[in-house]
Amino acid sequence: MHATEYSLEPWKPAAHLYRVSCSVAQPNPGGQRFTLPAWIPGSYLIRDFAHQIVAITAECNAAPVAVTKCDNQTWECAPCAGRLTVTCEIYARDESVRAAYLDTRRGFFNGTSVFLRPDGYADAPCNVHIAPPQTPVEGQWQIASTLRPVAVDAAGFGDYQAENYAQLIDHPVAMGEVDLVEFSAGGKPHGIALLGRHDADRERLAQDLARVCDTQVRLFGELPVEGYLFLAQVVGEGYGGLEHRDCSMLQVARNSLPAPGAQTDELPDAYMNLLGLCSHEYFHLWNVKRIQPQAVAESDLTREAYFRDLWAYEGVTSYYDDLALVRARLLSQEGYLKKLASAATRLQQTPGRRRQTLADSSFDAWTKFYRPDENTPNAVVSYYGKGGLLCLCLDLALRLASQGDLSLDVLMQKAWAQYGRPEIPVPDGGLEQLCIELGGDELEDFFSRYVHATDELPLAELLAEFGVGCEQVLSDEKEGATPSAITAQGLRLVANASEVRLQYVLDNSAAQAAGLSPGDVLVAINGLRITSANLPARLKRLAGTGKQDLQFFRGDELLSTHLDIVEPQTDSWRFSLDETAPQRAIRRRESWLSGVV
């Protein structure tokens, strides 16, 4: 089959425009169609990337050809004989990890945002020419990508190849002044390409990432790539990641990078979160990109790919991202338990956990999780957050029932051998079934209660068997949490707002009974002004004294209601090492957190 030929140019950086061409030698004689994906694997929402195409033209043997738009993401060219080339101008100003961006400082793109797929050519080889910018840009631009180079210059501009369209769109490209920090993990070359101004301790970053990656490689026993690259956009504020087969696209805040001279035992939370993000995306190299859901593997990316065990991919990965930091000795056991407690608290404070199962959360990701609104906490539970805690419970339950012979580690190794290494797509429910085969039929009840129903997770009971003390406490402002005096009323405030503006009002709460709604601005209780600073103390003082007069704005109308202020609730978890626990429990804990049987 003839190759599909692509060319991409950062055409007008100041206007955020790429110019991208797609060319086929033997177009369909009845009219060749071209399609741009509607979503990108790893981010389960129809994103309509085609809406950023601002112009599209075609020519056959250098003569213009008519182009007709068929739907949101498909175009058809008039019949022609000879080489057909379609050229798009694409507006790129999305700094997230999912799409494309271009300005005079830098550019990056995912193939799903810029490369049309000619119908009938999905399995054809792809040749790509990436040109340097022709208009003035800042600095000396270079290319950072895991696309296979064929003939490139010293800066990386030139010709690349991919085996097929699916491989083409799985290699994002970054360009600009790239600072490549190199290291080795699993005996193979790795790197993190920093795109943007920074003052990071490069040596520290390389050292710590190597430890994280080596820890993940040891879990699976092999590294199925010849190298790996983290592509990191360095921005003032931001956070995010998206997995690919042998790289990942990251968005990292400048102050999350390690400052020169940072001490091993004093890693800032922001840097620890960055390492956790890298750990998460690296784990996806195995889980999702090779242990792959069948629905995703079979999707043509033009419509949703529904499946009910997204929790088994994002939840498992969320569980292992911070656990790997403990096993790599970058995060203390105490620090890890604090992170677990924060996740458990978020779940505890989410009424949606009683209404939506993890299976339904997975299936509904397309319409609910990625499209949050003011009612999301009341109706939705996160397959990331609850999924990660479920996998914690599953890991501990397997270890406990088998006296340490089984674990989630063993399950993932089995999944790798059965599905990942041979690259056999996993049917919906496949990982759940594999776990039942491994751990016994009694696990059917576990999945029935915690995945397919909304029973509360047995966190405290299981953690106690591993030498971890669990208690529910009042939220403390000093810990960075919303004070219990506020959460007890069912209120969630817009963060960092100068006014007391409600972001959420939780179901079956005092605030809901008082008729408050998201967007309302609270201004006074009993005629006295309230602010975000004095609200917790006012609520504590008035708790349990009956209904109080509350004044608030809804839009531009000043309204009044009566709020029956309730006592603060113990709605936060605190986990701690219990050194008074039986020795067998402490041994279980050490085996779990070290990854050593």
Side-chain angles (χ1 to χ4, degrees), residues 565-592:
I565 301 173
V566 301
E567 294 282 354
Q569 305 295 310
T570 54
D571 58 355
S572 298
W573 281 102
R574 181 178 294 159
F575 299 156
S576 59
L577 299 175
D578 182 4
E579 302 303 350
T580 67
Q583 282 301 307
R584 64 180 180 276
I586 293 176
R587 285 194 296 271
R588 290 189 198 113
R589 184 181 73 207
E590 295 306 312
S591 176
W592 159 46

Coordinates of all heavy atoms in Angstrom, one line a residue, residues 565-592:
I565 N -27.9 25.9 61.3 CA -26.5 25.6 61.3 C -26.2 24.4 62.2 O -26.5 24.4 63.4 CB -25.6 26.8 61.8 CG1 -25.9 28.0 60.9 CG2 -24.2 26.5 61.8 CD1 -25.3 29.3 61.4
V566 N -25.6 23.3 61.6 CA -25.4 22.1 62.4 C -24.0 22.0 62.9 O -23.1 22.7 62.4 CB -25.7 20.8 61.5 CG1 -27.1 20.9 61.0 CG2 -24.8 20.8 60.3
E567 N -23.8 21.1 63.8 CA -22.5 20.9 64.4 C -21.5 20.4 63.4 O -21.9 19.6 62.5 CB -22.6 20.0 65.6 CG -23.4 20.4 66.8 CD -22.6 21.4 67.6 OE1 -21.4 21.7 67.4 OE2 -23.3 22.0 68.6
P568 N -20.2 20.8 63.5 CA -19.2 20.2 62.6 C -19.1 18.7 62.7 O -19.3 18.1 63.8 CB -17.9 20.9 63.1 CG -18.3 22.1 63.8 CD -19.7 21.8 64.4
Q569 N -18.9 18.1 61.5 CA -18.9 16.6 61.5 C -17.5 16.1 61.3 O -16.6 16.8 60.7 CB -19.7 16.1 60.3 CG -21.2 16.6 60.3 CD -22.0 16.1 61.5 OE1 -22.0 14.9 61.7 NE2 -22.6 17.0 62.2
T570 N -17.2 14.9 61.8 CA -15.9 14.3 61.6 C -15.9 13.6 60.2 O -16.2 12.5 60.0 CB -15.6 13.2 62.7 OG1 -16.7 12.2 62.7 CG2 -15.5 13.8 64.0
D571 N -15.6 14.5 59.2 CA -15.7 14.0 57.8 C -14.4 13.9 57.1 O -14.3 13.8 55.9 CB -16.6 15.1 57.1 CG -16.0 16.5 57.1 OD1 -15.0 16.7 57.8 OD2 -16.6 17.4 56.5
S572 N -13.3 13.9 57.9 CA -12.0 13.7 57.3 C -11.3 12.5 57.9 O -11.5 12.2 59.1 CB -11.1 15.0 57.6 OG -11.7 16.1 57.0
W573 N -10.5 11.9 57.1 CA -9.7 10.7 57.5 C -8.3 11.1 57.9 O -7.7 12.0 57.3 CB -9.6 9.6 56.4 CG -10.9 8.8 56.2 CD1 -11.8 9.0 55.3 CD2 -11.3 7.7 57.1 NE1 -12.8 8.0 55.5 CE2 -12.5 7.2 56.5 CE3 -10.7 7.1 58.2 CZ2 -13.2 6.2 57.1 CZ3 -11.4 6.0 58.7 CH2 -12.6 5.6 58.2
R574 N -7.8 10.4 58.9 CA -6.4 10.5 59.3 C -5.8 9.1 59.4 O -6.4 8.3 60.2 CB -6.2 11.3 60.6 CG -4.8 11.5 61.0 CD -4.7 12.3 62.3 NE -5.1 13.6 62.1 CZ -5.6 14.5 63.0 NH1 -5.6 14.1 64.3 NH2 -6.0 15.7 62.7
F575 N -4.8 8.8 58.6 CA -4.2 7.5 58.7 C -2.8 7.6 59.3 O -2.1 8.6 59.0 CB -4.0 6.9 57.3 CG -5.3 6.6 56.6 CD1 -5.4 6.6 55.2 CD2 -6.5 6.4 57.3 CE1 -6.6 6.3 54.5 CE2 -7.7 6.2 56.6 CZ -7.8 6.2 55.2
S576 N -2.3 6.7 60.1 CA -1.0 6.8 60.7 C -0.4 5.4 60.9 O -1.2 4.4 61.0 CB -1.1 7.5 62.1 OG -2.0 6.8 62.9
L577 N 0.9 5.4 61.0 CA 1.6 4.1 61.3 C 1.3 3.7 62.7 O 1.5 4.5 63.7 CB 3.1 4.3 61.1 CG 3.5 4.6 59.7 CD1 5.1 4.9 59.7 CD2 3.2 3.6 58.7
D578 N 0.8 2.5 62.9 CA 0.5 2.0 64.3 C 1.6 1.0 64.7 O 1.5 -0.2 64.4 CB -0.9 1.3 64.2 CG -1.3 0.8 65.6 OD1 -0.6 1.1 66.6 OD2 -2.3 0.1 65.7
E579 N 2.5 1.5 65.4 CA 3.7 0.7 65.8 C 3.3 -0.2 67.0 O 4.1 -1.1 67.4 CB 4.9 1.6 66.2 CG 5.3 2.5 65.0 CD 5.7 1.7 63.8 OE1 5.8 0.5 63.8 OE2 5.9 2.4 62.7
T580 N 2.1 -0.1 67.5 CA 1.6 -1.0 68.6 C 0.8 -2.2 68.0 O 0.4 -3.0 68.8 CB 0.7 -0.2 69.6 OG1 -0.5 0.2 68.9 CG2 1.4 1.0 70.1
A581 N 0.7 -2.2 66.7 CA -0.1 -3.3 66.1 C 0.7 -4.6 66.2 O 2.0 -4.5 66.4 CB -0.3 -2.9 64.6
P582 N 0.1 -5.7 66.1 CA 0.8 -7.0 66.1 C 1.9 -7.0 65.1 O 1.8 -6.4 64.0 CB -0.3 -8.0 65.8 CG -1.6 -7.3 66.2 CD -1.4 -5.9 65.9
Q583 N 2.9 -7.8 65.4 CA 4.1 -7.8 64.4 C 3.7 -8.4 63.1 O 4.2 -8.0 62.1 CB 5.2 -8.7 65.1 CG 6.0 -8.0 66.1 CD 6.7 -6.7 65.6 OE1 7.4 -6.7 64.6 NE2 6.4 -5.6 66.2
R584 N 2.7 -9.3 63.1 CA 2.3 -9.8 61.8 C 1.7 -8.8 60.9 O 1.9 -8.7 59.7 CB 1.4 -11.0 61.9 CG 0.0 -10.7 62.6 CD -0.8 -11.9 62.7 NE -2.1 -11.6 63.3 CZ -2.4 -11.5 64.6 NH1 -1.3 -11.7 65.4 NH2 -3.6 -11.2 65.1
A585 N 1.0 -7.8 61.5 CA 0.4 -6.7 60.8 C 1.5 -5.8 60.3 O 1.4 -5.3 59.1 CB -0.6 -6.0 61.6
I586 N 2.5 -5.5 61.1 CA 3.6 -4.6 60.7 C 4.4 -5.3 59.5 O 4.8 -4.6 58.6 CB 4.5 -4.3 61.9 CG1 3.7 -3.4 62.9 CG2 5.7 -3.6 61.4 CD1 4.4 -3.1 64.1
R587 N 4.6 -6.6 59.6 CA 5.3 -7.3 58.5 C 4.5 -7.2 57.2 O 5.1 -7.0 56.1 CB 5.5 -8.7 58.9 CG 6.6 -8.9 59.9 CD 7.1 -10.4 60.0 NE 6.0 -11.3 60.5 CZ 5.8 -11.5 61.8 NH1 6.5 -11.0 62.7 NH2 4.8 -12.3 62.1
R588 N 3.2 -7.3 57.3 CA 2.3 -7.2 56.1 C 2.5 -5.8 55.5 O 2.6 -5.6 54.3 CB 0.8 -7.4 56.5 CG 0.4 -8.8 56.8 CD -1.1 -8.9 56.9 NE -1.5 -10.1 57.6 CZ -2.1 -10.1 58.8 NH1 -2.3 -8.9 59.4 NH2 -2.5 -11.2 59.4
R589 N 2.5 -4.8 56.4 CA 2.7 -3.4 56.0 C 4.0 -3.2 55.2 O 4.0 -2.6 54.2 CB 2.6 -2.4 57.2 CG 2.6 -1.0 56.8 CD 2.5 -0.1 58.1 NE 3.8 -0.1 58.8 CZ 3.9 0.1 60.1 NH1 2.8 0.3 60.9 NH2 5.1 0.1 60.7
E590 N 5.0 -3.7 55.8 CA 6.4 -3.5 55.2 C 6.4 -4.2 53.8 O 7.0 -3.7 52.9 CB 7.5 -4.0 56.1 CG 7.6 -3.2 57.4 CD 7.8 -1.8 57.1 OE1 8.6 -1.4 56.3 OE2 7.1 -0.9 57.8
S591 N 5.8 -5.4 53.7 CA 5.8 -6.1 52.4 C 5.0 -5.3 51.4 O 5.4 -5.2 50.2 CB 5.2 -7.5 52.6 OG 5.1 -8.2 51.4
W592 N 3.8 -4.8 51.8 CA 3.0 -4.0 50.9 C 3.7 -2.8 50.4 O 3.7 -2.5 49.2 CB 1.7 -3.7 51.7 CG 0.9 -2.5 51.1 CD1 0.6 -2.3 49.8 CD2 0.3 -1.5 51.9 NE1 -0.2 -1.1 49.7 CE2 -0.3 -0.6 51.0 CE3 0.3 -1.2 53.3 CZ2 -1.0 0.5 51.4 CZ3 -0.4 0.0 53.7 CH2 -1.0 0.8 52.8

